[in-house]
Amino acid sequence: MKNIFLVVIFIVLISCNEKQKKFIYQIQEGSGLLINGPLSLDLGELDSSKITLLNGDEVVPFDFDTASNKIWFIHNTERKGDYSIKENAESSSIAETFSAVKKDGDLMLERGNTSLVGYRYGMHYPPKGIDSIFKKSGYIHPIITPKGDTLTRTNAPDHWHHYGVWGPWTHTRIDTMRVDFWNLGDGQGTVLFKEFNSVSNGAVSAGFNAAQEHIDYKTQSEPQVALNENLQVKMWDLNRDDRYMLDYTSSFSTPLENGILFEAYRYGGGLGMRFTERWHKDNCEVLTSEGENRLTADGTNAKWAIVSGASSDGKGTNGILFLSNTKNRMHPEPMRVWPIDGNGGRGDMFFEFCPIRHEEWQIEPNKEYELKYRMVVFEGELTKEEAEAYWQAFANPSQVELIAN
């Protein structure tokens, strides 16, 4: 599929009365299936408080990114291909329909008044009677579909240490000692929320950047921080009632003098998710970019994977499309998919992009590393053609070219 290019035609119109500038840009469509998704435009010298984004006569909502001086908006394929920005116009007020709201230790990402995604920053304790060693903060739960089905699961009795969407490293070596940040019951390590670097609300997105610490309980007389992580999560509107999008970026470094080794193992790091207890071997499917399914995907590599299952009302399906970025280590990325006869024959669903599945990874001291993922949460069906289009948009973002007239 060819890339979609944004060709921005820069036209300056000067009237005697207003001296108003107008910028017109056009989306040049390549071959292949197009999808709704976020696009950005660099404002240059423009003042974000004094512009209006239009598609024809329709005012288009956007968010302003102060760090990059860009506006972000959602391109809807049903719109015309021409957009325009008016400068020195009275900027139209666009309601912030996406919000991040703190509720009893959860940061909830909401569309309107509907909560869709939660990040647990407060300490969560397992059920009464279960060892408190399994307590945890710093994970995504719940992920809720547009129609209200919760797809994540925490503290499953077969794995008390499973927490929705999370990515601790499993077999690691600090100097000569092995430390496990995944299996909390061993008491070797954990990953905990530290603080929020930022929280954002907007007209087309909401998100946060959270500092998390990977804490080593084993190699020192007192706990030490083995990894510092910034977890960035952003929920995007897709101008559809049946889908929304999540970007998930983990940036990390180690302060340890000799660094840390991530040993090759079938679990660890990346992006892991324990799915709802409603899904099992008879009502849950997997399809990867390489054509693998629930029976064959484990241990293989993929650009993307669709995990879907029966909706709670039994009348349809829903699920998540997982996308791995081309810059991720070991891309196309290895996966862990639980065997269909696991969990005493139930075949519960666990999925992970696992960049150390086949090869160890040496993390050097004070060096920044990054892993980027995207998820599309959907109702109904999501085809392999659509999955490929979403991946192309993620891996090869649209380019913007300005032409001054």
Side-chain angles (χ1 to χ4, degrees), residues 21-42:
K21 295 180 181 179
K22 185 178 182 182
F23 304 83
I24 300 175
Y25 58 95
Q26 185 179 60
I27 298 175
Q28 303 257 324
E29 299 180 353
S31 61
L33 181 67
L34 299 178
I35 55 166
N36 294 1
L39 296 177
S40 68
L41 180 62
D42 192 335

Side-chain angles (χ1 to χ4, degrees), residues 10 33 42 75 129 153 201 210 222 254-255 273 297 314 344 348 355 370 393:
F10 183 83
L33 181 67
D42 192 335
H75 172 58
R153 186 183 188 186
N201 303 316
E222 295 183 356
T254 177
M273 177 169 170
D348 289 7
E370 185 176 79

Side-chain angles (χ1 to χ4, degrees), residues 170-226:
T170 309
H171 285 186
T172 78
R173 284 199 177 272
I174 299 175
D175 297 325
T176 60
M177 191 75 72
R178 174 175 283 176
V179 181
D180 186 342
F181 299 93
W182 179 289
N183 294 289
L184 301 179
D186 295 337
Q188 298 180 16
T190 190
V191 182
L192 299 177
F193 168 81
K194 180 183 179 184
E195 62 187 357
F196 285 110
N197 297 316
S198 64
V199 175
S200 64
N201 303 316
V204 299
S205 68
F208 63 89
N209 182 319
Q212 301 186 154
E213 293 180 327
H214 298 236
I215 302 171
D216 164 26
Y217 292 135
K218 189 175 178 183
T219 63
Q220 299 288 326
S221 57
E222 295 183 356
Q224 66 173 345
V225 175

Side-chain angles (χ1 to χ4, degrees), residues 38-337:
L39 296 177
S40 68
L41 180 62
D42 192 335
L43 288 184
E45 299 299 319
L46 293 176
D47 183 346
S48 66
S49 67
K50 296 180 180 179
I51 66 171
T52 301
L53 179 64
L54 298 168
N55 184 260
D57 295 328
E58 176 191 0
V59 176
V60 178
F62 66 84
D63 294 339
F64 177 56
D65 183 348
T66 56
S68 63
N69 197 39
K70 293 179 179 179
I71 60 170
W72 287 89
F73 63 98
I74 304 301
H75 172 58
N76 186 334
T77 58
E78 295 180 357
R79 287 193 183 122
K80 298 177 182 178
D82 294 338
Y83 288 82
S84 62
I85 289 179
K86 288 186 178 180
E87 184 191 22
N88 296 332
E90 241 178 79
S91 185
S92 301
S93 177
I94 301 293
E96 292 187 341
T97 55
F98 283 73
S99 56
V101 181
K102 292 181 179 179
K103 298 179 180 179
D104 301 323
D106 294 309
L107 182 72
M108 300 302 300
L109 303 184
E110 301 184 344
R111 178 168 59 188
N113 295 318
T114 302
S115 295
L116 293 172
V117 177
Y119 172 75
R120 182 67 187 178
Y121 66 90
M123 188 64 74
H124 168 84
Y125 289 84
K128 185 177 181 180
I130 303 303
D131 195 330
S132 63
I133 198 171
F134 292 106
K135 66 182 184 291
K136 183 83 172 71
S137 64
Y139 58 91
I140 302 293
H141 175 75
I143 290 180
I144 303 173
T145 70
K147 290 185 178 179
D149 279 359
T150 297
L151 297 185
T152 46
R153 186 183 188 186
T154 62
N155 287 151
D158 51 26
H159 291 78
W160 292 112
H161 58 276
H162 279 195
Y163 276 97
V165 176
W166 82 124
W169 300 95
T170 309
H171 285 186
T172 78
R173 284 199 177 272
I174 299 175
D175 297 325
T176 60
M177 191 75 72
R178 174 175 283 176
V179 181
D180 186 342
F181 299 93
W182 179 289
N183 294 289
L184 301 179
D186 295 337
Q188 298 180 16
T190 190
V191 182
L192 299 177
F193 168 81
K194 180 183 179 184
E195 62 187 357
F196 285 110
N197 297 316
S198 64
V199 175
S200 64
N201 303 316
V204 299
S205 68
F208 63 89
N209 182 319
Q212 301 186 154
E213 293 180 327
H214 298 236
I215 302 171
D216 164 26
Y217 292 135
K218 189 175 178 183
T219 63
Q220 299 288 326
S221 57
E222 295 183 356
Q224 66 173 345
V225 175
L227 287 171
N228 290 303
E229 179 185 20
N230 285 329
L231 177 63
Q232 302 172 66
V233 174
K234 181 165 283 191
M235 180 174 72
W236 295 98
D237 187 21
L238 288 179
N239 290 156
R240 295 181 57 153
D241 293 334
D242 60 347
R243 294 180 190 176
Y244 65 89
M245 181 181 288
L246 279 174
D247 280 345
Y248 181 106
T249 301
S250 171
S251 305
F252 56 92
S253 63
T254 177
L256 301 179
E257 182 179 359
N258 297 320
I260 181 171
L261 176 67
F262 300 157
E263 295 182 332
Y265 191 62
R266 66 180 181 272
Y267 293 104
L271 176 73
M273 177 169 170
R274 180 67 188 266
F275 278 84
T276 171
E277 59 270 31
R278 291 185 294 102
W279 287 4
H280 48 77
K281 60 182 175 61
D282 297 322
N283 66 359
C284 176
E285 298 178 351
V286 174
L287 176 65
T288 79
S289 58
E290 312 311 303
E292 305 295 343
N293 58 33
R294 177 75 194 269
L295 294 174
T296 62
D298 184 48
T300 67
N301 298 355
K303 300 181 299 182
W304 53 259
I306 304 170
V307 182
S308 60
S311 56
S312 60
D313 61 9
K315 297 179 180 179
T317 60
N318 46 41
I320 298 180
L321 165 66
F322 295 90
L323 308 169
S324 168
N325 194 269
T326 55
K327 296 181 179 179
N328 286 0
R329 184 181 191 262
M330 300 298 293
H331 181 88
E333 206 159 339
M335 296 169 292
R336 173 59 171 160
V337 178

